[in-house]
Amino acid sequence: MDTLSKRQFAEIAAIARERWGLDLTDKKQALVQNRLAKMLARSQTYESIEHYLDHLRTSGTEEDMLVFFDILSTNTTSFFREKEHFDHLAEHFYPTLESAPRGKRVRIWSAACSNGSEPYTIGIHARECLPDLNNLDFKILATDLSNKALDAARNAVYPEKALDHLPRQIRATYFEPRVMTRGDKSESFYQVHPSVRSLVSVHQLNLMDPWPMKGPFDVIFLRNVMIYFDKQTREQLVQRMRGLLRAGGLLIIGSAETLSGLDVGLRMVRPAIYVK
Ligand SMILES: C[S@@+](CC[C@H](N)C(=O)[O-])C[C@H]1O[C@@H](n2cnc3c(N)ncnc32)[C@H](O)[C@@H]1O
């Protein structure tokens, strides 16, 4: 396999920044090289990195660009990731809805939902916190750009090991077993229960594009995606999200992320949780 040249990497970094806001610093060159090598090893179409880049330059469709996005981006996620964020909602947000009038509108946005673990966690947790959830107009919007992630989020089927760390009661209540057969092997999978799937709608959205939603949202999850963006992109993104939050609404970012140093007009209530 040929090596990724500095010029090729610079070209890739420019595309990634312009289209998706991704900040591919020089430290990412080896990672990008590895990802391209894996793709080329499987490909029947492209013989080299240059051949692939040339295709993208001259005749790459939007779908080709999304495949390229999947090569460059990272979808790591899990159910109840960063549990302290859900504990905060259980203590400070859901109690405010306990005596809400029937039909009260509640909107939560999982803004980089990956394979759906995050929005379905929000749904499971909401059902646990609010036994009368069906009396509310409660909806979770789940968006991501990755086709691969969105397919997984729409299917809502996960391997058994993705649920290993969940309490038995949560697994039994909110997941249904599905056995899948591949060749002569059968594997155990679990699908999120319809009572939770029905709360979540999954849509494709590039965070760098204009957004069709008007809000207001009560809570926005923007977790573990800003790490891929530069400071200016993060600031603009959070400013736009602030515009879609209701007064008193919450923005939740990843535990390893911070808004400090950004001019966004949100107040931190605890690490990674901000209020408008
Ligand atoms: C590491 S995952 C985080 C998933 C989840 N929020 C969590 O914390 O577990 C980052 C996600 O951001 C998505 N992403 C990256 N850039 C994006 C963009 N410009 N627009 C929409 N989604 C993007 C990726 O496709 C990926 O699924």
Side-chain angles (χ1 to χ4, degrees):
M1 141 91 196
D2 52 343
T3 41
L4 178 65
S5 71
K6 265 201 169 351
R7 179 195 59 74
Q8 288 168 328
F9 180 67
E11 182 178 347
I12 289 171
I15 297 173
R17 174 180 301 277
E18 193 191 316
R19 288 190 167 244
W20 310 306
L22 303 179
D23 182 25
L24 296 181
T25 57
D26 290 347
K27 278 190 249 155
K28 296 277 169 70
Q29 181 157 344
L31 177 88
V32 172
Q33 152 109 27
N34 280 339
R35 300 260 182 101
L36 286 170
K38 276 193 195 138
M39 184 279 290
L40 288 174
R42 284 193 308 264
S43 170
Q44 312 274 322
T45 315
Y46 307 112
E47 287 155 16
S48 63
I49 293 177
E50 193 53 30
H51 187 198
Y52 181 55
L53 287 180
D54 194 50
H55 165 74
L56 294 181
R57 273 181 218 123
T58 54
S59 51
T61 61
E62 277 307 307
E63 282 308 299
D64 289 329
M65 294 314 286
L66 285 174
V67 173
F68 188 38
F69 173 76
D70 270 336
I71 292 173
L72 299 180
S73 64
T74 300
N75 302 120
T76 308
T77 188
S78 56
F79 286 99
F80 285 90
R81 182 180 195 182
E82 297 165 7
K83 185 177 163 295
E84 62 277 16
H85 302 160
F86 297 96
D87 294 342
H88 182 87
L89 294 181
E91 282 160 36
H92 300 282
F93 175 62
Y94 288 117
T96 67
L97 298 174
E98 271 163 13
S99 50
R102 180 173 268 275
K104 182 179 167 55
R105 181 186 184 282
V106 182
R107 293 291 181 272
I108 302 188
W109 179 17
S110 166
C113 69
S114 187
N115 71 4
S117 302
E118 181 175 276
Y120 294 127
T121 297
I122 298 168
I124 291 168
H125 183 247
R127 287 224 173 270
E128 286 289 292
C129 291
L130 292 174
D132 292 331
L133 191 69
N134 288 348
N135 291 339
L136 302 176
D137 170 18
F138 183 98
K139 290 186 184 152
I140 300 160
L141 171 67
T143 66
D144 202 288
L145 178 61
S146 160
N147 277 333
K148 222 171 48 184
L150 291 167
D151 282 348
R154 290 193 179 106
N155 289 333
V157 174
Y158 302 91
E160 193 166 18
K161 68 174 180 332
L163 315 186
D164 272 354
H165 62 294
L166 301 182
R168 191 189 295 261
Q169 172 265 335
I170 296 284
R171 272 187 283 165
T173 312
Y174 299 107
F175 292 89
E176 298 178 312
R178 299 268 179 269
V179 176
M180 307 230 182
T181 318
R182 216 182 279 160
D184 54 0
K185 269 198 204 153
S186 359
E187 287 176 63
S188 290
F189 287 84
Y190 288 82
Q191 184 167 39
V192 178
H193 193 271
S195 65
V196 173
R197 286 202 330 260
S198 63
L199 301 173
V200 177
S201 57
V202 179
H203 295 275
Q204 188 161 50
L205 183 75
N206 181 351
L207 290 172
M208 298 303 123
D209 284 349
W211 304 332
M213 310 86 74
K214 301 269 175 286
F217 288 96
D218 298 85
V219 184
I220 300 178
F221 283 73
L222 180 66
R223 302 192 308 166
N224 303 302
V225 60
M226 278 191 294
I227 34 168
Y228 305 109
F229 303 151
D230 66 16
K231 183 174 175 210
Q232 191 192 4
T233 307
R234 290 202 298 268
E235 189 166 84
Q236 284 166 356
L237 181 61
V238 175
Q239 282 168 352
R240 290 168 75 201
M241 290 200 160
R242 182 185 184 281
L244 287 192
L245 275 176
R246 68 162 166 80
L250 298 173
L251 177 75
I252 306 185
I253 65 174
S255 292
E257 298 168 317
T258 174
L259 299 185
S260 89
L262 302 188
D263 178 16
V264 288
L266 297 172
R267 182 171 57 82
M268 189 173 90
V269 285
R270 62 189 272 179
I273 303 189
Y274 294 80
V275 64
K276 174 169 170 179

